[in-house]
C-alpha cells in the first residue's frame, strides 16, 4: 500500500534498490546530495547534478525536464553516507517561471523497480522559492527510511547547498545552472502536455522477467502517452490581421485511437497499426504515435542500461567481499567466487537483453507500418508520398528534420518531428565535431554538406506550407554556397537572389528586423490589421551561410535580436556556421548558440531526449542518390507561388 506522506512524515523503505520519480508543471533541475549522520555534505564529490550525474549508487537526470527518474541503490552508496537528499530547482536561463509558486505543485514518488509506489509526496505551499529540498532517504538503526521535507529556499540553489554545508555553494550553483543551460540547448523539445485520454494502445506489453534467487527484476519501460498539440501559429492572409492561433486547434479531448488489429494467433501480440494514438486527424494520430515510439525506445534502453549497470555493480561488490577475506585468496575458493560472480552478472545481463530485444522487435514492427503511412511533412525524402506531392492548403502539425537512433539498435530509426510553426531556429554545425563521421570528412566537404542540409530543410518547409505563406531569404556573404543553393535559385522559390557582401547582409537584416519590430508593436497595440501593406505576412526563414564572415558588430547584434524575438512573430533563423570560427566574439554569442537547435550535416550523437537524456545519434535528411525529387517538389512549389493555386 502506498504511503501518502505530508511534510515531516516518514516511512520505512522495504528495499534498497529504488527509483525516485518526479513530475512538475514545468522543467526543473533534479539533483541529490549525500550526507553523513549529521546531514553534512563532505564535498562536491558527494553531489549528483546534471553536470555530474553519477555517483556510486546514485544517478540523476542530465538535463532540466518536467519529469525525472532518479536511480538509487542504497547498498552501493559510499561508506559513511547516512542521508540522500533529493533537490529540485528551477533553471535560471530557460525563460520559464522563476518561482515554484508559479507552477503546479511538484509530485515525488519513491517506487520499486517494477514501478510500484512505496511513498509519495506532493510539495504544496511553495511560493517565492526557486529551489526546494523535496525529500530525504536516511538510515536509522540499520534501516532506511524516507522523509517528506519540502523545505524551500527563496535564495535558490546556492542557498540550499549552503544550508547543507557545501563550500563555495554559489560557485557550484552557477556550474550546475551552466550545465542545465547546455543540456537545454542540446535537448529535443518535448511534446506538449499529455492528457489522460492520450494513452496510445499497447499491443504487446513486455513483462519483466520474474525475479529469482533474490535477484531484482529488470524493470520494463513504462507506457508512453502521446501528446496533445499546443496552439500553433499561422500567418494571416495578405491584408488581414496576424493571427497566431492554429486554425484547427480544438478545446475538447480528441477522439480515441482506432481499434487495434486482432491478434494473429493465440498468445501472439496483435499486429501494430498506423495511427495507433489519439488525435483529431490521421496526421495528429501519427504524430502522437511517433512521439510514443520515441519515448518507448528511450525508456526501454534506459531499463536495459540500468539493469546492466546493476549487474556490473553487484559483481564488483561480490568480488570485493570475497577478496577482502584473506582466506579466499588461497586455493580455488577465490577462483570459484569470481566465476560465480561473473556467471550471475552474465545471467542478469542476458535477461535484460532478452527483455530489450522483445521491446525492440515490437517497435521495429510498429515502425514498419508507420513509416509508409506518414504524410509528406513527416516522411523521409525516399518515401513514395513525395512522388504524388501537391502543395497543401493548410499548415501541418509538425515537420521531419532527420532521424534518431541508439547504439543498441542502430537500424531502428525514429523520425525527429518538430512542431510548426518553428519554436526555435536551427544551427547546422559545419565544424568538425567529435563524431566518427565528422572525423572522416574534410573541412570543405563538411561546409558543403552543411549548406546542402540547410537547403533540404528549407525546401521541406516551403513544401509543407500553403502557397506564399512561407518565404526564404539567404545571406551568403562570399557567394561560397552557390552550388548548394542551386535548387532554390533555379526553381524560383526565393523572392530575391542570395544576399552577398556587407551591403547585402545589412539590407536583409534591416528588412527582417523592421518586420519583427512592426509586428511586435502591432500586437502590443492590438492593431494587427494596421500593418503596412508592403509587409509580407508570411512566415520568414533566414538562412545564414559562413557566419561570422561578412558580419560587423551591428549585424551580429541584429542577428541575436532575430534569434531572440523573431520566432514569436514568425521570423526564424537557420545558421550554417562553425562555432570555432566565431570564437573571437567570446561568450557574447553563447545565448545565440543556445537559442538554436543544433543539428549536424553528418551523423553525430549530440541530441538528448527529454525523458532520460540518452545521447541519440542524429542522421540528417538526404535525398536518394540520383533522385530528382527535390527539383520536382520545388518546381511545384514555385508554380503554386506564381499562380496562387495548388
Amino acid at each position: 500500500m502506498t504511503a501518502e506522506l505530508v511534510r515531516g512524515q516518514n516511512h520505512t523503505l522495504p528495499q534498497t534498490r529504488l527509483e525516485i520519480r518526479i513530475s512538475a508543471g514545468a522543467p526543473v533541475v533534479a539533483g541529490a546530495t549525500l550526507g553523513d549522520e549529521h546531514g553534512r555534505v563532505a564535498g562536491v564529490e558527494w553531489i549528483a547534478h546534471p553536470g555530474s550525474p553519477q555517483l556510486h549508487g546514485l544517478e540523476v537526470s542530465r538535463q532540466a525536464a518536467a519529469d525525472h527518474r532518479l536511480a538509487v541503490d542504497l547498498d552501493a552508496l559510499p561508506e559513511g553516507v547516512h542521508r540522500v537528499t533529493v533537490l529540485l530547482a528551477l533553471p535560471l536561463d530557460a525563460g520559464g517561471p522563476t518561482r515554484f509558486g508559479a507552477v503546479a505543485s511538484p509530485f515525488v514518488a519513491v517506487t520499486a523497480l517494477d514501478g510500484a509506489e512505496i511513498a509519495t509526496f506532493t510539495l504544496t505551499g511553495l511560493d517565492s522559492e526557486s529551489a526546494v529540498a523535496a525529500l530525504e532517504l536516511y538510515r536509522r538503526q540499520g534501516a532506511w527510511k524516507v522523509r517528506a521535507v519540502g523545505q524551500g529556499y527563496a535564495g535558490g540553489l546556492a542557498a540550499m547547498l549552503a544550508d547543507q554545508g557545501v563550500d563555495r555553494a554559489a560557485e557550484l550553483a552557477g556550474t550546475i545552472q551552466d550545465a542545465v543551460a547546455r543540456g537545454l540547448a542540446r535537448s529535443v523539445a518535448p511534446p506538449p502536455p499529455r492528457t489522460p485520454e492520450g494513452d496510445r494502445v499497447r499491443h504487446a506489453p513486455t513483462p519483466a522477467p520474474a525475479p529469482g534467487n533474490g535477484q531484482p527484476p529488470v524493470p520494463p519501460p513504462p507506457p508512453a502517452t502521446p501528446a496533445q498539440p499546443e496552439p500553433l501559429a499561422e500567418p494571416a492572409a495578405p491584408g488581414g490581421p496576424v493571427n497566431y492561433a492554429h486554425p484547427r486547434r480544438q478545446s475538447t479531448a480528441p477522439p480515441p485511437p482506432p481499434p487495434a488489429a486482432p491478434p494473429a494467433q493465440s498468445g501472439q501480440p496483435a499486429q501494430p497499426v498506423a495511427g495507433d494514438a489519439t488525435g483529431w486527424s490521421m496526421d495528429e494520430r501519427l504524430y502522437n504515435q511517433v512521439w510514443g515510439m520515441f519515448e518507448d525506445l528511450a525508456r526501454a534502453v534506459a531499463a536495459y542500461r540500468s539493469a546492466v549497470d546493476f549487474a556490473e555493480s553487484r559483481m564488483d561488490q561480490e568480488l570485493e567481499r570475497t577478496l577482502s577475506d584473506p582466506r579466499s585468496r588461497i586455493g580455488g575458493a577465490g577462483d570459484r567466487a569470481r566465476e560465480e560472480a561473473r556467471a550471475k552478472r552474465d545471467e542478469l545481463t542476458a535477461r535484460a537483453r532478452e527483455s530489450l530485444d522483445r521491446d525492440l522487435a515490437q517497435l521495429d514492427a510498429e515502425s514498419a507500418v508507420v513509416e509508409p503511412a506518414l504524410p509528406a511533412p513527416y516522411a523521409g525524402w525516399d518515401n513514395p508520398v513525395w512522388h504524388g506531392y501537391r502543395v497543401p492548403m493548410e499548415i501541418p502539425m509538425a515537420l521531419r528534420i532527420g532521424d534518431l537512433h541508439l547504439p543498441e539498435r542502430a537500424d531502428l530509426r525514429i523520425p525527429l518531428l518538430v512542431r510548426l510553426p518553428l519554436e526555435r531556429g536551427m544551427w547546422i554545425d559545419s565544424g568538425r565535431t567529435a563524431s566518427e563521421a565528422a572525423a572522416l570528412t574534410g573541412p570543405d566537404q563538411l561546409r558543403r554538406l552543411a549548406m546542402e542540409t540547410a537547403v533540404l530543410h528549407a525546401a521541406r518547409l516551403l513544401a509543407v506550407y500553403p502557397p506564399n505563406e512561407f518565404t526564404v531569404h539567404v545571406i551568403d556573404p562570399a557567394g561560397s554556397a552557390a552550388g548548394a543553393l542551386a535548387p532554390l535559385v533555379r526553381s524560383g522559390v526565393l523572392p530575391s537572389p542570395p544576399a552577398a557582401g556587407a551591403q547585402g547582409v545589412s539590407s536583409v537584416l534591416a528588412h527582417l528586423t523592421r518586420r519583427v519590430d512592426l509586428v511586435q508593436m502591432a500586437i502590443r497595440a492590438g492593431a494587427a490589421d494596421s500593418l503596412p501593406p508592403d509587409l509580407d505576412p508570411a512566415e520568414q526563414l533566414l538562412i545564414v551561410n559562413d557566419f561570422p564572415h561578412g558580419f560587423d558588430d551591428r549585424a551580429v547584434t541584429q542577428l541575436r535580436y532575430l534569434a531572440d524575438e523573431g520566432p514569436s512573430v514568425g521570423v526564424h533563423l537557420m545558421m550554417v556556421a562553425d562555432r570555432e570560427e566565431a570564437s573571437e566574439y567570446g561568450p557574447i554569442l553563447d545565448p545565440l548558440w543556445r537559442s538554436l537547435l543544433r543539428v549536424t550535416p553528418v551523423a553525430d550523437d549530440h541530441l538528448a531526449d527529454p525523458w532520460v537524456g540518452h545521447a541519440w545519434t542524429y542522421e540528417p535528411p538526404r535525398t536518394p542518390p540520383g533522385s530528382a525529387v527535390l527539383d520536382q517538389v520545388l518546381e511545384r512549389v514555385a508554380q503554386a507561388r506564381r499562380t496562387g493555386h495548388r
Side-chain angles (χ1 to χ4, degrees):
M1 182 175 178
T2 303
E4 298 180 2
L5 306 180
V6 297
R7 190 174 275 107
Q9 191 175 3
N10 60 50
H11 181 74
T12 300
L13 294 172
Q15 58 198 78
T16 56
R17 288 265 301 165
L18 307 163
E19 274 193 349
I20 299 175
R21 303 184 181 186
I22 300 164
S23 299
V28 297
V29 183
T33 60
L34 307 181
D36 58 19
E37 61 270 22
H38 304 295
R40 306 292 289 181
V41 179
V44 294
E45 66 276 6
W46 275 20
I47 303 175
H49 57 80
S52 178
Q54 289 183 319
L55 302 177
H56 286 295
L58 178 64
E59 182 173 3
V60 304
S61 303
R62 291 169 170 79
Q63 61 194 49
D67 297 290
H68 291 271
R69 290 190 175 200
L70 280 60
V72 182
D73 183 355
L74 298 173
D75 288 338
L77 293 174
E79 191 174 348
V81 172
H82 288 255
R83 187 173 302 177
V84 180
T85 304
V86 177
L87 315 175
L88 304 179
L90 294 170
L92 295 181
D93 298 326
T98 58
R99 59 187 186 90
F100 275 106
V103 301
S105 298
F107 173 80
V108 184
V110 180
T111 75
L113 293 182
D114 60 1
E117 291 184 345
I118 298 171
T120 63
F121 175 42
T122 301
L123 285 78
T124 59
L126 299 175
D127 186 11
S128 61
E129 299 89 344
S130 60
V132 60
L135 54 78
E136 62 183 15
L137 313 178
Y138 64 99
R139 182 158 47 189
R140 182 67 53 82
Q141 297 178 347
W144 283 94
K145 297 184 177 183
V146 56
R147 177 187 291 120
V149 180
Q151 175 63 54
Y153 295 84
L157 193 55
M160 180 165 56
L161 293 173
D163 192 43
Q164 297 191 35
V166 177
D167 293 332
R168 304 171 70 179
E171 180 179 335
L172 176 59
T175 300
I176 294 172
Q177 292 289 359
D178 287 344
V180 171
R182 291 193 299 271
L184 289 173
R186 65 186 286 267
S187 174
V188 177
R194 301 164 181 150
T195 62
E197 297 83 2
D199 293 341
R200 74 192 188 102
V201 177
R202 306 292 301 172
H203 291 305
T206 302
N213 299 325
Q215 298 170 345
V218 178
T225 55
Q228 181 175 352
E230 290 177 340
L232 302 177
E234 183 180 44
V242 178
N243 178 13
Y244 288 95
H246 197 284
R248 292 176 290 123
R249 172 71 156 83
Q250 302 289 338
S251 59
T252 57
Q265 296 178 358
S266 176
Q268 297 295 321
Q271 295 300 313
V273 295
D276 174 15
T278 60
W280 292 100
S281 65
M282 189 60 172
D283 287 3
E284 185 176 355
R285 288 172 177 168
L286 287 167
Y287 169 80
N288 288 339
Q289 186 173 13
V290 167
W291 270 96
M293 293 166 59
F294 188 10
E295 184 173 2
D296 282 354
L297 181 55
R299 296 202 185 280
V301 170
Y304 168 72
R305 292 179 181 177
S306 176
V308 171
D309 288 344
F310 168 75
E312 293 287 348
S313 174
R314 175 172 179 160
M315 182 186 70
D316 292 342
Q317 292 177 30
E318 290 182 353
L319 289 175
E320 184 178 352
R321 284 196 297 268
T322 300
L323 297 177
S324 63
D325 185 355
R327 292 171 297 179
S328 65
R329 303 174 192 171
I330 303 174
D335 293 337
R336 286 194 300 273
R338 292 186 187 92
E339 291 176 2
E340 291 174 0
R342 293 190 182 103
K344 290 179 182 178
R345 186 270 315 273
D346 293 342
E347 180 186 356
L348 282 175
T349 301
R351 290 169 55 204
R353 185 71 210 195
E354 182 182 354
S355 177
L356 175 65
D357 286 342
R358 283 197 296 268
D359 291 331
L360 292 178
Q362 181 64 19
L363 284 167
D364 189 53
E366 190 170 8
S367 177
V369 298
V370 168
E371 275 285 357
L374 294 177
Y378 305 173
W381 286 109
D382 57 348
N383 192 308
V385 70
W386 285 106
H387 296 292
Y389 165 77
R390 297 183 65 189
V391 178
M393 297 306 295
E394 56 185 15
I395 305 172
M397 174 176 292
L399 184 80
R400 186 174 186 157
I401 63 169
D403 294 338
L404 298 172
H405 63 84
L406 291 171
E408 281 78 3
R409 183 69 183 276
D411 62 333
L412 179 55
R413 306 294 176 90
I414 302 295
L416 176 54
L417 303 181
V418 296
R419 293 192 297 273
L420 291 179
L422 296 173
E423 297 176 348
R424 62 194 292 199
M426 296 175 63
W427 164 30
I428 302 172
D429 190 350
S430 60
R432 186 178 294 277
T433 64
S435 72
E436 180 181 355
L440 298 174
T441 308
D444 292 339
Q445 187 180 4
L446 275 176
R447 283 191 286 268
R448 177 181 60 80
L449 289 173
M451 198 61 203
E452 290 177 355
T453 302
V455 168
L456 287 176
H457 287 312
R460 183 177 287 259
L461 282 162
L462 285 164
V464 303
Y465 270 77
N468 297 309
E469 291 196 13
F470 197 88
T471 301
V472 176
H473 306 270
V474 179
I475 289 179
D476 185 20
S480 59
L485 290 169
L488 297 179
V489 174
R490 65 172 172 256
S491 65
V493 294
L494 297 179
S496 58
Q503 185 176 356
V505 172
S506 176
S507 175
V508 172
L509 291 177
H511 169 72
L512 293 177
T513 301
R514 172 179 176 268
R515 185 190 188 279
V516 172
D517 289 339
L518 289 175
V519 175
Q520 283 187 336
M521 288 189 293
I523 292 175
R524 284 195 295 264
D529 56 349
S530 63
L531 290 168
D534 65 333
L535 187 138
D536 181 5
E539 295 272 319
Q540 310 284 311
L541 175 70
L542 173 60
I543 301 176
V544 178
N545 181 45
D546 216 15
F547 177 81
H549 301 297
F551 282 75
D552 55 21
D553 290 345
R554 184 171 185 271
V556 170
T557 300
Q558 288 176 314
L559 201 63
R560 287 186 55 191
Y561 176 73
L562 292 178
D564 292 339
E565 304 295 335
S568 64
V569 291
V571 177
H572 314 283
L573 277 184
M574 186 176 291
M575 302 276 293
V576 180
D578 179 356
R579 187 170 182 175
E580 289 299 319
E581 294 181 356
S583 58
E584 63 186 67
Y585 287 96
I588 192 174
L589 288 182
D590 287 352
L592 172 64
W593 304 120
R594 286 199 296 262
S595 69
L596 304 173
L597 174 63
R598 175 177 171 257
V599 296
T600 51
V602 294
D604 190 89
D605 57 351
H606 66 282
L607 289 177
D609 65 79
W611 302 287
V612 294
H614 291 316
W616 292 73
T617 298
Y618 168 79
E619 296 277 357
R622 290 283 181 266
T623 55
S627 172
V629 63
L630 179 62
D631 290 328
Q632 293 170 0
V633 168
L634 288 175
E635 176 56 35
R636 292 176 188 174
V637 171
Q639 182 179 2
R641 291 170 68 90
R642 290 191 297 267
T643 63
H645 302 291
R646 300 171 65 192

